[in-house]
Amino acid sequence: THPWRVIGSWVAILVVLIGLVATVGGDLRDEFEIPGSDTQRATDLLESEFTEEQGAVLNLVFAAPEGERLDTPEREAAIQEAVGNLRSSQEFKPTEDKAGLESVGNPFSEATFSDDGRIAYAEAQFNETIEPADRDEVVAVQDSVRETVEPAGVTVEYNGEAEFPPVEQGTSEILGLLAAIVVLIFFFRTFVAMFIPIALAIAAVGTAFLLLFIVAGLTDVNTITPILVSMIGLGVGIDYSLFIVTRFRQLLHEGLSPADAAAEAGASAGRAVLFAGLTVAISVTGLAFIGLDFVTKLGIGSALGVLTTVLIANSLLLAVLALLGHKIDRWKVPFLRRAEDTEAARQNTLVSRWGRFVTAHARIVFPVVLIVILGLASTSALVRLGAADQGTQPKDQTSRRAYDLLAEGFGAGFNGPIPIVVDMNGDQQAAQRVYDGVQGIDGVASVGEPQLNDEETVGIVFVTPESAPQDEETDNLVDRLRDQVVPVATEGGDAVAYVSGQTAAFKDIGEQIIERMPLFLLYIIGVTFIVLAMAFRSVVISLTAAITTIMSAFVGFGVLTLVVQEGHLLGLTGLDQTGPIETFVPPIAFAILFGLSMDYMVFLGSRIREEHVHGLRTREAVDHGISAIGRVVVAAALIMGTVFAAFILSADRIPKEFGLLLAVAILTDALIVRMTLVPAFLTLLREKSWYIPRWLDRALPNVTIEAPHDGNGRRTIDVERPAEATGRS
């Protein structure tokens, strides 16, 4: 009733958020802590005992053409000139305002020059860690070296902590929006109605990004988080608004005024959106049980898009719809017949006919679909969690090409040395015993002499494995070092040694996730079960929702494993090398999936319950529910699935993994589970579908997701209880 006040309030909120970003907002940075792990103990020890903090390293990797050498007079002179420029030029010196180089190594030393003479490298040491704001300084170094050596026929590539490509966003989002526009055009048949969900999704994502950078000013937020914010925000933004706009148009066509139709859409579809958003919030908060701060922050950051969508959809969207009124049907799409929202028209849609087919053949459909889903889900048993190294990145990234050159010139394990950090505690020979103990261990290519701090209280022994950092053989080597070498070297003394490094870190992360996963699952399944039992007044439907959601998630994990880890259809993702699944992907993806897939259960189940409350038997209620809301669920799933799938085109491996996993799981959940498996199951159970113990029914608050309506769009009395008892009318 006060749309302009609502719009003005949101404008004021955005102004405040922009002001907060300008004053307290911060940059994104990657911080990984694994409390209680060997890796974290080693990190803490190095930070406290090695007083001189090291900045980031940029590896300059030089290569001659195949079959040729770098140490020809012309090539060696060009490389030495490039290195000399970095050492002497004031352009690359550190200042108070920018990062700079402190030293540059010699690429022609015995340790940095390959045996065949084709490949060499030099370490360029910056004075501080490199943040996104320092990217220009790194690029300046790279350009300087490249311009000097390339005329001599020398190729140069870069990797190391200082070389990380900026998070590329825009292309995947645009492709996802274009796919969504196509689906919305066919669904609504008018350009105005199509535009509303797109505009809301963009507004929600923009607001979520403002909140993200405000949070980044208060705590560390990982650089991958914006990808998840835009991915989740666009998907749910379009889906939630699609649900509300569809209900608004139905009510409008049934004769309600624009203001009443908007209010009723908010009271019914908007309430379902609130419940859907609540399930996402429950799932994300469950990540805290994993006990890894960066995992929790990734989940919370990815849920910002859901939070802003729920708030905007239940306020700004309703205000805009009240103002638009019948104008929402303007600008009809040429060559497409106007869609009818009448009950008779909905009964004749393909989705409605599919629903009747499922319920009519439930005894056959249910076991067949269940076997297919369990078969796909079982492939997730092949998953190996770990850390995919730079050798799996696309070849258009310089870090991947540098990785390949270093592996070729110095061995596969050169890219991932394993540091063993020794706290000697008065045992001065402990580091030497670790060094001696590593000799002859299977899987070790070489081991470096112990490096001690100034006080000689802490030593580091670098072990170079024969295998690549992501290989299972390297995982096994870490276990051998921890189980065999370290206990023997520290036996009988006070010294303590910790096996660290990238491979060890991701092993520690994986072990903690597996250890905490039962508690995580118990929390999100338990709380969601209670919430859905309150809404649907049925333990059967609540348990069905939880179990089938887990099945959909495992289908997504299984397909991801088959593609990214096992290599089936790998080329379609833009990758050319297989690797393990990153350890933090499963819990974050599961939390997101559990929340998002519940959306479809809420949207469809609330309508089925509404029909059942009004007197229909379960099978007929399922038929009517699918007819009324099935098209929306299918359209929403196609939109969300294509938005997620667009991120497979991202340059980085991790967004590809999230995009593929979420797209497969969401499409499976909506199209196969919610629209086929669950309706068939409810049809077989019939009235037992609504079973709830009396004690639980009395204990749970009586909450409805979607307020019942009669055929004229008017809110009706709940037939289960009189209006005087429920307080509703």
Side-chain angles (χ1 to χ4, degrees), residues 15 45 85 162 187 328 478 530 534 539 574 601 633 658 671 703 707 722:
V15 170
L45 187 61
N85 288 340
F187 183 81
I328 199 168
V478 170
I530 293 173
M534 288 166 48
V539 296
M601 190 69 193
V633 171
F658 275 112
L671 303 182
V703 178

Side-chain angles (χ1 to χ4, degrees), residues 571-594:
L572 296 180
T573 66
L575 299 173
D576 64 342
Q577 291 291 330
T578 60
I581 307 302
E582 270 69 18
T583 53
F584 57 82
V585 168
I588 296 172
F590 188 88
I592 294 171
L593 282 172
F594 204 88

Side-chain angles (χ1 to χ4, degrees), residues 7 57 150 211 419 470 534 567 641 643:
I7 294 172
V57 170
E150 283 188 345
L211 292 173
Q470 70 173 13
M534 288 166 48
V643 168

Side-chain angles (χ1 to χ4, degrees), residues 360-439:
H361 302 86
R363 294 183 182 277
I364 299 174
V365 170
F366 178 74
V368 170
V369 173
L370 182 62
I371 291 171
V372 170
I373 290 177
L374 291 177
L376 288 173
S378 66
T379 59
S380 61
L382 301 172
V383 69
R384 183 171 75 86
L385 301 180
D389 56 38
Q390 291 178 330
T392 63
Q393 295 288 5
K395 285 188 175 180
D396 60 357
Q397 293 187 7
T398 185
S399 58
R400 162 66 189 279
R401 298 192 295 270
Y403 176 99
D404 289 343
L405 289 173
L406 290 173
E408 177 187 339
F410 303 95
F414 182 84
N415 287 288
I418 303 171
I420 304 178
V421 181
V422 185
D423 187 356
M424 291 186 279
N425 289 323
D427 186 352
Q428 297 300 316
Q429 297 303 312
Q432 185 64 39
R433 288 199 302 273
V434 169
Y435 169 79
D436 295 337
V438 174
Q439 308 292 337

Side-chain angles (χ1 to χ4, degrees), residues 351 354 358 365 369 373 552 597 600 604 626 630-639 641 663-679:
V351 172
W354 173 254
V358 169
V365 170
V369 173
I373 290 177
S552 299
S597 63
Y600 301 119
L604 185 60
I626 292 176
R631 286 180 65 244
V632 182
V633 171
V634 171
L638 291 176
I639 290 170
V664 170
I666 285 295
L667 291 173
T668 299
D669 189 82
L671 303 182
I672 300 178
V673 173
R674 304 300 159 209
M675 295 296 294
T676 308
L677 185 69
V678 171

Side-chain angles (χ1 to χ4, degrees), residues 171-183:
T171 303
S172 297
E173 287 87 344
I174 291 173
L175 291 175
L177 285 174
L178 289 176
I181 287 172
V182 172
V183 175

